[in-house]
Tab-separated table of all heavy atoms in Angstrom:
chain	number	residue	atom	x	y	z
A	25	THR	N	36.898	-9.181	-47.123
A	25	THR	CA	36.934	-7.790	-47.600
A	25	THR	C	35.535	-7.160	-46.961
A	25	THR	O	34.679	-7.825	-46.488
A	25	THR	CB	36.852	-7.644	-49.042
A	25	THR	OG1	35.686	-8.199	-49.592
A	25	THR	CG2	38.046	-8.293	-49.809
A	26	ARG	N	35.564	-5.878	-47.034
A	26	ARG	CA	34.396	-5.110	-46.502
A	26	ARG	C	33.067	-5.630	-47.054
A	26	ARG	O	32.236	-5.975	-46.300
A	26	ARG	CB	34.478	-3.643	-46.852
A	26	ARG	CG	33.316	-2.827	-46.577
A	26	ARG	CD	33.528	-1.324	-46.781
A	26	ARG	NE	33.690	-0.880	-48.062
A	26	ARG	CZ	34.153	0.323	-48.380
A	26	ARG	NH1	34.311	1.202	-47.501
A	26	ARG	NH2	34.280	0.632	-49.699
A	27	PRO	N	32.883	-5.696	-48.384
A	27	PRO	CA	31.565	-6.122	-48.874
A	27	PRO	C	31.184	-7.638	-48.494
A	27	PRO	O	29.988	-7.801	-48.201
A	27	PRO	CB	31.640	-5.952	-50.414
A	27	PRO	CG	33.025	-5.956	-50.714
A	27	PRO	CD	33.778	-5.375	-49.544
A	55	GLN	N	42.000	-9.940	-46.092
A	55	GLN	CA	42.367	-9.259	-47.338
A	55	GLN	C	42.346	-7.757	-47.217
A	55	GLN	O	43.143	-7.003	-47.699
A	55	GLN	CB	41.556	-9.814	-48.498
A	55	GLN	CG	41.868	-9.124	-49.805
A	55	GLN	CD	41.025	-9.662	-50.956
A	55	GLN	OE1	40.556	-10.869	-50.980
A	55	GLN	NE2	40.832	-8.907	-52.032
A	56	HIS	N	41.277	-7.308	-46.541
A	56	HIS	CA	41.186	-5.983	-46.061
A	56	HIS	C	41.469	-5.991	-44.566
A	56	HIS	O	41.190	-7.011	-43.899
A	56	HIS	CB	39.762	-5.405	-46.177
A	56	HIS	CG	39.418	-4.989	-47.625
A	56	HIS	ND1	38.182	-4.495	-47.962
A	56	HIS	CD2	40.224	-4.855	-48.789
A	56	HIS	CE1	38.267	-4.183	-49.290
A	56	HIS	NE2	39.371	-4.485	-49.751
A	57	ARG	N	41.766	-4.814	-43.945
A	57	ARG	CA	41.955	-4.826	-42.474
A	57	ARG	C	41.008	-3.836	-41.873
A	57	ARG	O	40.032	-4.152	-41.401
A	57	ARG	CB	43.475	-4.444	-42.201
A	57	ARG	CG	43.832	-4.593	-40.684
A	57	ARG	CD	43.885	-6.045	-40.102
A	57	ARG	NE	42.598	-6.581	-39.730
A	57	ARG	CZ	42.374	-7.840	-39.436
A	57	ARG	NH1	43.334	-8.672	-39.497
A	57	ARG	NH2	41.211	-8.278	-38.910
A	58	GLU	N	41.415	-2.440	-41.936
A	58	GLU	CA	40.561	-1.494	-41.269
A	58	GLU	C	39.052	-1.584	-41.800
A	58	GLU	O	38.098	-1.457	-41.018
A	58	GLU	CB	40.985	0.012	-41.506
A	58	GLU	CG	42.489	0.161	-41.163
A	58	GLU	CD	43.481	-0.026	-42.283
A	58	GLU	OE1	43.320	-1.075	-42.950
A	58	GLU	OE2	44.302	0.814	-42.534
A	59	MET	N	38.951	-1.688	-43.141
A	59	MET	CA	37.623	-1.589	-43.711
A	59	MET	C	36.802	-2.914	-43.386
A	59	MET	O	35.585	-2.877	-43.372
A	59	MET	CB	37.728	-1.370	-45.166
A	59	MET	CG	38.080	-0.055	-45.557
A	59	MET	SD	38.767	0.120	-47.241
A	59	MET	CE	37.517	-0.493	-48.267
A	60	LEU	N	37.522	-3.926	-43.081
A	60	LEU	CA	36.797	-5.258	-42.624
A	60	LEU	C	36.474	-5.057	-41.160
A	60	LEU	O	35.306	-5.485	-40.733
A	60	LEU	CB	37.841	-6.358	-42.787
A	60	LEU	CG	37.342	-7.689	-42.300
A	60	LEU	CD1	36.254	-8.272	-43.090
A	60	LEU	CD2	38.595	-8.673	-42.439
A	78	MET	N	46.402	-8.898	-44.949
A	78	MET	CA	46.631	-7.628	-45.857
A	78	MET	C	47.939	-7.072	-45.805
A	78	MET	O	48.554	-6.966	-44.745
A	78	MET	CB	45.603	-6.503	-45.378
A	78	MET	CG	45.367	-5.428	-46.531
A	78	MET	SD	44.725	-3.999	-45.926
A	78	MET	CE	46.282	-3.213	-45.208
A	79	LYS	N	48.444	-6.669	-46.892
A	79	LYS	CA	49.699	-5.944	-47.054
A	79	LYS	C	49.400	-4.733	-47.860
A	79	LYS	O	48.638	-4.666	-48.759
A	79	LYS	CB	50.689	-6.811	-47.859
A	79	LYS	CG	51.144	-8.088	-47.199
A	79	LYS	CD	52.655	-8.038	-46.833
A	79	LYS	CE	53.108	-9.329	-46.110
A	79	LYS	NZ	52.295	-10.441	-45.841
A	80	PRO	N	50.076	-3.615	-47.508
A	80	PRO	CA	49.847	-2.326	-48.391
A	80	PRO	C	50.164	-2.599	-49.724
A	80	PRO	O	51.283	-3.299	-50.125
A	80	PRO	CB	50.787	-1.366	-47.690
A	80	PRO	CG	51.126	-1.923	-46.355
A	80	PRO	CD	50.996	-3.400	-46.424
A	81	GLY	N	49.398	-2.274	-50.662
A	81	GLY	CA	49.665	-2.357	-52.099
A	81	GLY	C	49.814	-3.745	-52.563
A	81	GLY	O	50.552	-4.076	-53.495
A	82	GLN	N	49.085	-4.720	-52.080
A	82	GLN	CA	49.209	-6.139	-52.246
A	82	GLN	C	48.948	-6.559	-53.771
A	82	GLN	O	48.149	-5.807	-54.362
A	82	GLN	CB	48.408	-7.020	-51.286
A	82	GLN	CG	46.890	-6.781	-51.436
A	82	GLN	CD	46.123	-7.036	-50.203
A	82	GLN	OE1	46.623	-7.521	-49.183
A	82	GLN	NE2	44.805	-6.875	-50.301
A	84	LEU	N	47.822	-9.736	-56.615
A	84	LEU	CA	46.960	-10.818	-56.648
A	84	LEU	C	47.704	-12.170	-56.509
A	84	LEU	O	47.104	-13.056	-55.878
A	84	LEU	CB	46.221	-10.762	-58.001
A	84	LEU	CG	45.234	-9.659	-58.242
A	84	LEU	CD1	44.593	-9.681	-59.603
A	84	LEU	CD2	44.112	-9.517	-57.179
A	87	LEU	N	48.697	-12.704	-52.795
A	87	LEU	CA	47.399	-12.695	-51.877
A	87	LEU	C	46.786	-14.086	-52.071
A	87	LEU	O	46.463	-14.808	-51.128
A	87	LEU	CB	46.506	-11.618	-52.272
A	87	LEU	CG	45.178	-11.553	-51.570
A	87	LEU	CD1	45.417	-11.253	-50.044
A	87	LEU	CD2	44.275	-10.495	-52.089
A	112	ASP	N	32.837	-12.620	-55.196
A	112	ASP	CA	33.772	-12.646	-56.323
A	112	ASP	C	35.124	-12.051	-56.011
A	112	ASP	O	35.885	-11.658	-56.871
A	112	ASP	CB	33.149	-11.781	-57.400
A	112	ASP	CG	32.927	-10.364	-56.954
A	112	ASP	OD1	33.224	-9.973	-55.962
A	112	ASP	OD2	32.301	-9.640	-57.840
A	113	THR	N	35.466	-12.098	-54.736
A	113	THR	CA	36.753	-11.542	-54.417
A	113	THR	C	37.940	-12.590	-54.532
A	113	THR	O	37.579	-13.779	-54.709
A	113	THR	CB	36.869	-10.932	-52.989
A	113	THR	OG1	36.740	-12.014	-52.123
A	113	THR	CG2	35.790	-9.895	-52.777
A	114	THR	N	39.070	-12.149	-54.388
A	114	THR	CA	40.195	-13.135	-54.342
A	114	THR	C	40.127	-14.029	-53.147
A	114	THR	O	40.279	-15.262	-53.291
A	114	THR	CB	41.594	-12.377	-54.403
A	114	THR	OG1	41.701	-11.781	-55.640
A	114	THR	CG2	42.784	-13.394	-54.187
A	115	THR	N	39.556	-13.598	-52.070
A	115	THR	CA	39.290	-14.349	-50.809
A	115	THR	C	38.307	-15.493	-51.229
A	115	THR	O	38.486	-16.591	-50.875
A	115	THR	CB	38.729	-13.543	-49.683
A	115	THR	OG1	39.864	-12.749	-49.165
A	115	THR	CG2	38.178	-14.426	-48.622
A	147	PRO	N	39.484	-8.840	-61.254
A	147	PRO	CA	39.468	-10.165	-61.601
A	147	PRO	C	38.105	-10.834	-61.270
A	147	PRO	O	38.020	-12.127	-61.187
A	147	PRO	CB	40.596	-10.814	-60.988
A	147	PRO	CG	40.565	-10.058	-59.610
A	147	PRO	CD	40.230	-8.712	-59.846
A	148	GLU	N	37.144	-10.057	-60.864
A	148	GLU	CA	35.959	-10.604	-60.092
A	148	GLU	C	35.145	-11.585	-61.092
A	148	GLU	O	34.555	-12.546	-60.510
A	148	GLU	CB	35.027	-9.453	-59.617
A	148	GLU	CG	35.579	-8.713	-58.465
A	148	GLU	CD	36.585	-7.694	-58.873
A	148	GLU	OE1	36.791	-7.318	-60.067
A	148	GLU	OE2	37.175	-6.930	-57.954
A	151	ASN	N	36.900	-14.731	-60.741
A	151	ASN	CA	36.707	-15.269	-59.322
A	151	ASN	C	35.421	-15.905	-59.097
A	151	ASN	O	35.271	-16.900	-58.519
A	151	ASN	CB	36.892	-14.060	-58.423
A	151	ASN	CG	38.445	-13.673	-58.182
A	151	ASN	OD1	39.297	-14.463	-58.587
A	151	ASN	ND2	38.681	-12.574	-57.615
A	228	HIS	N	36.347	2.072	-56.625
A	228	HIS	CA	37.614	1.300	-56.360
A	228	HIS	C	37.966	0.437	-57.388
A	228	HIS	O	39.070	-0.207	-57.436
A	228	HIS	CB	37.446	0.609	-55.125
A	228	HIS	CG	36.399	-0.452	-55.124
A	228	HIS	ND1	36.659	-1.674	-55.611
A	228	HIS	CD2	35.155	-0.430	-54.724
A	228	HIS	CE1	35.569	-2.459	-55.570
A	228	HIS	NE2	34.620	-1.719	-55.012
A	229	ARG	N	37.094	0.118	-58.495
A	229	ARG	CA	37.360	-0.982	-59.358
A	229	ARG	C	38.707	-0.910	-60.035
A	229	ARG	O	39.216	0.039	-60.512
A	229	ARG	CB	36.287	-0.985	-60.500
A	229	ARG	CG	34.925	-1.235	-60.077
A	229	ARG	CD	34.331	-2.488	-60.488
A	229	ARG	NE	34.671	-3.577	-59.713
A	229	ARG	CZ	34.067	-3.972	-58.626
A	229	ARG	NH1	33.026	-3.377	-58.114
A	229	ARG	NH2	34.537	-4.992	-57.918
A	230	ARG	N	39.351	-2.084	-60.110
A	230	ARG	CA	40.656	-2.186	-60.577
A	230	ARG	C	40.672	-1.735	-62.105
A	230	ARG	O	41.770	-1.197	-62.579
A	230	ARG	CB	41.192	-3.694	-60.643
A	230	ARG	CG	42.011	-3.982	-59.406
A	230	ARG	CD	42.474	-5.510	-59.422
A	230	ARG	NE	43.471	-5.636	-58.413
A	230	ARG	CZ	43.424	-5.618	-57.166
A	230	ARG	NH1	42.267	-5.370	-56.647
A	230	ARG	NH2	44.479	-5.822	-56.296
A	233	HIS	N	41.334	1.818	-62.448
A	233	HIS	CA	42.686	2.445	-61.870
A	233	HIS	C	43.356	3.098	-63.146
A	233	HIS	O	43.250	2.560	-64.261
A	233	HIS	CB	43.556	1.399	-61.361
A	233	HIS	CG	43.047	0.851	-60.015
A	233	HIS	ND1	43.643	-0.231	-59.318
A	233	HIS	CD2	41.937	1.104	-59.309
A	233	HIS	CE1	43.000	-0.615	-58.257
A	233	HIS	NE2	41.969	0.224	-58.266
A	260	HIS	N	38.139	5.092	-50.854
A	260	HIS	CA	38.703	3.727	-50.646
A	260	HIS	C	40.161	3.742	-50.283
A	260	HIS	O	40.908	4.630	-50.822
A	260	HIS	CB	38.408	2.866	-51.859
A	260	HIS	CG	38.623	1.403	-51.648
A	260	HIS	ND1	39.726	0.752	-51.671
A	260	HIS	CD2	37.678	0.457	-51.731
A	260	HIS	CE1	39.574	-0.548	-51.413
A	260	HIS	NE2	38.276	-0.781	-51.488
A	261	LEU	N	40.648	2.847	-49.361
A	261	LEU	CA	41.977	2.874	-48.909
A	261	LEU	C	43.010	2.356	-49.946
A	261	LEU	O	44.190	2.347	-49.711
A	261	LEU	CB	42.128	2.119	-47.629
A	261	LEU	CG	41.390	2.748	-46.520
A	261	LEU	CD1	41.548	1.958	-45.203
A	261	LEU	CD2	41.915	4.231	-46.244
A	262	ASN	N	42.570	1.817	-51.045
A	262	ASN	CA	43.564	1.204	-52.090
A	262	ASN	C	44.384	2.389	-52.567
A	262	ASN	O	43.954	3.395	-53.034
A	262	ASN	CB	42.699	0.605	-53.193
A	262	ASN	CG	43.669	-0.147	-54.218
A	262	ASN	OD1	44.736	0.354	-54.494
A	262	ASN	ND2	43.271	-1.253	-54.674
A	263	PRO	N	45.737	2.267	-52.482
A	263	PRO	CA	46.611	3.394	-52.939
A	263	PRO	C	46.437	3.842	-54.413
A	263	PRO	O	46.598	5.037	-54.727
A	263	PRO	CB	48.034	2.857	-52.707
A	263	PRO	CG	47.946	1.415	-52.256
A	263	PRO	CD	46.450	1.115	-51.955
B	408	LIG	C1	38.936	-5.786	-53.134
B	408	LIG	C2	38.377	-6.852	-54.106
B	408	LIG	C3	37.179	-6.304	-54.883
B	408	LIG	C4	36.153	-5.707	-54.032
B	408	LIG	C5	36.855	-4.683	-53.107
B	408	LIG	C6	35.810	-4.197	-52.105
B	408	LIG	C7	39.876	-8.575	-55.102
B	408	LIG	C8	40.953	-8.740	-56.207
B	408	LIG	N1	39.395	-7.266	-55.080
B	408	LIG	O1	39.482	-4.729	-53.905
B	408	LIG	O2	36.667	-7.486	-55.634
B	408	LIG	O3	35.149	-5.287	-54.803
B	408	LIG	O4	37.859	-5.297	-52.368
B	408	LIG	O5	36.208	-3.005	-51.467
B	408	LIG	O6	39.565	-9.435	-54.482
B	408	LIG	N2	43.632	-1.266	-48.096
B	408	LIG	C9	43.947	-0.873	-46.835
B	408	LIG	N3	43.043	-1.169	-45.814
B	408	LIG	C10	41.917	-1.842	-46.025
B	408	LIG	C11	41.625	-2.320	-47.342
B	408	LIG	C12	42.466	-2.065	-48.368
B	408	LIG	O7	44.926	-0.244	-46.593
B	408	LIG	O8	41.127	-2.072	-45.089
B	408	LIG	C13	44.547	-1.126	-49.202
B	408	LIG	C14	45.873	-1.897	-49.080
B	408	LIG	O9	46.996	-1.120	-49.472
B	408	LIG	C15	45.649	-3.087	-49.935
B	408	LIG	C16	44.879	-2.366	-51.081
B	408	LIG	O10	44.029	-1.454	-50.432
B	408	LIG	O11	46.754	-3.721	-50.375
B	408	LIG	C17	44.105	-3.238	-52.011
B	408	LIG	O12	43.312	-4.076	-51.336
B	408	LIG	P1	42.645	-5.407	-52.231
B	408	LIG	O13	41.677	-6.090	-51.308
B	408	LIG	O14	43.792	-6.123	-52.782
B	408	LIG	O15	41.873	-4.643	-53.353
B	408	LIG	P2	40.671	-3.764	-53.367
B	408	LIG	O16	40.831	-2.693	-54.380
B	408	LIG	O17	40.382	-3.346	-51.947
Side-chain angles (χ1 to χ4, degrees):
T25 66
R26 168 172 71 190
Q55 173 177 337
H56 283 176
R57 188 72 275 172
E58 305 91 310
M59 287 161 58
L60 172 70
M78 197 200 83
K79 298 246 179 352
Q82 63 205 358
L84 295 175
L87 179 64
D112 60 7
T113 67
T114 293
T115 288
E148 289 84 2
N151 281 344
H228 67 81
R229 298 245 81 85
R230 265 180 164 71
H233 292 174
H260 194 287
L261 294 179
N262 191 321

